Amino acid sequence: MCGCGGVKQDRIVHAPDGAAIAELTLFATGERGKVSPMLAAEGHAYCSVKNVSDLPITLGKGYILPAAATVTIASWEFDAHAGIWYNIEPTYVDQGWFVERKSITRDVDESALERMNEYLSDDGVDKWTLFQNCTHFAVGLWNTAADGSGDVIDFKGLTPTVLEKQIVRFVGYEKGKSHESDCPIGYYSGDDFTQFTLAD
């Protein structure tokens, strides 16, 4: 469902210079979260990447995304790993969380994917703290892909709720965009991927 109503939509998402090989979507919701008191108060922000090319693409430190597949990427404060996680959100959405999520999507070309992979491979980014949280991570990934396009989002004062208000300023934002995925859930410890099964 596209954005409409009384919200002033004064921004657009620009196309990249090169041919699109992926789609990057930025999500935010102020809804009660899944696991921690902070998420219950502040909601959640995350990204998804869809491979729109005919070949697999690599994300971050080696996560393989097959053609036509989608994976979500977010920063979480879990005991197993406080940092970047792949593909947690589809399970939580299936369980009824983040129903009111708002999102914007941009095409990603080869140069944008290279910048995204540098960001995802940075050990300094792969850690969750109070001030380097899910919103900081998701906007950082979006801004990395959007560099030079005019679509960057200011980090100042951002929480998931504030980010949601920024997202609905974009023409064509969506509510409840699907990101179903059969890709593995997990995280990287160094260069090794640890696959994880979420408890109900």
Side-chain angles (χ1 to χ4, degrees):
M1 181 172 80
C2 293
C4 57
V7 176
K8 181 180 179 182
Q9 294 179 296
D10 57 359
R11 302 196 68 181
I12 62 169
V13 177
H14 296 83
D17 293 332
I21 59 173
E23 290 178 352
L24 174 67
T25 301
L26 174 65
F27 292 89
T29 179
E31 294 170 87
R32 181 177 179 272
K34 175 69 178 174
V35 292
S36 75
M38 177 166 292
L39 286 175
E42 295 289 349
H44 186 45
Y46 60 101
C47 291
S48 73
V49 179
K50 179 179 181 180
N51 183 352
V52 298
S53 75
D54 295 328
L55 298 171
I57 61 174
T58 301
L59 296 172
K61 294 181 178 180
Y63 194 97
I64 304 300
L65 187 62
T70 299
V71 64
T72 61
I73 311 174
S75 185
W76 285 89
E77 184 193 16
F78 287 144
D79 290 340
H81 178 68
I84 300 171
W85 282 79
Y86 289 81
N87 225 35
I88 283 183
E89 288 75 15
T91 298
Y92 285 168
V93 168
D94 285 346
Q95 294 173 358
W97 298 88
F98 311 140
V99 175
E100 299 294 321
R101 61 194 180 278
K102 310 296 193 307
S103 64
I104 47 176
T105 299
R106 67 178 306 103
D107 288 338
V108 171
D109 61 11
E110 286 279 0
S111 61
L113 182 62
E114 288 178 8
R115 295 194 301 272
M116 288 166 58
N117 282 337
E118 288 180 11
Y119 180 81
L120 292 169
S121 299
D122 185 341
D123 289 335
V125 172
D126 189 12
K127 60 183 179 182
W128 190 101
T129 69
L130 183 60
F131 298 106
Q132 190 168 318
N133 52 35
C134 64
T135 309
H136 183 277
F137 168 80
V139 173
L141 184 58
W142 173 268
N143 286 351
T144 297
D147 184 46
S149 71
D151 303 337
V152 297
I153 296 173
D154 189 355
F155 282 97
K156 187 177 180 181
L158 277 186
T159 64
T161 300
V162 174
L163 177 57
E164 187 175 9
K165 292 176 181 177
Q166 292 292 320
I167 285 173
V168 300
R169 290 177 54 191
F170 282 82
V171 173
Y173 81 87
E174 296 180 81
K175 177 181 175 182
K177 180 181 174 73
S178 175
H179 47 55
E180 295 179 4
S181 179
D182 294 324
C183 294
I185 297 169
Y187 60 89
Y188 279 89
S189 179
D191 293 329
D192 297 322
F193 184 74
T194 299
Q195 197 161 329
F196 196 86
T197 300
L198 288 177
D200 291 334

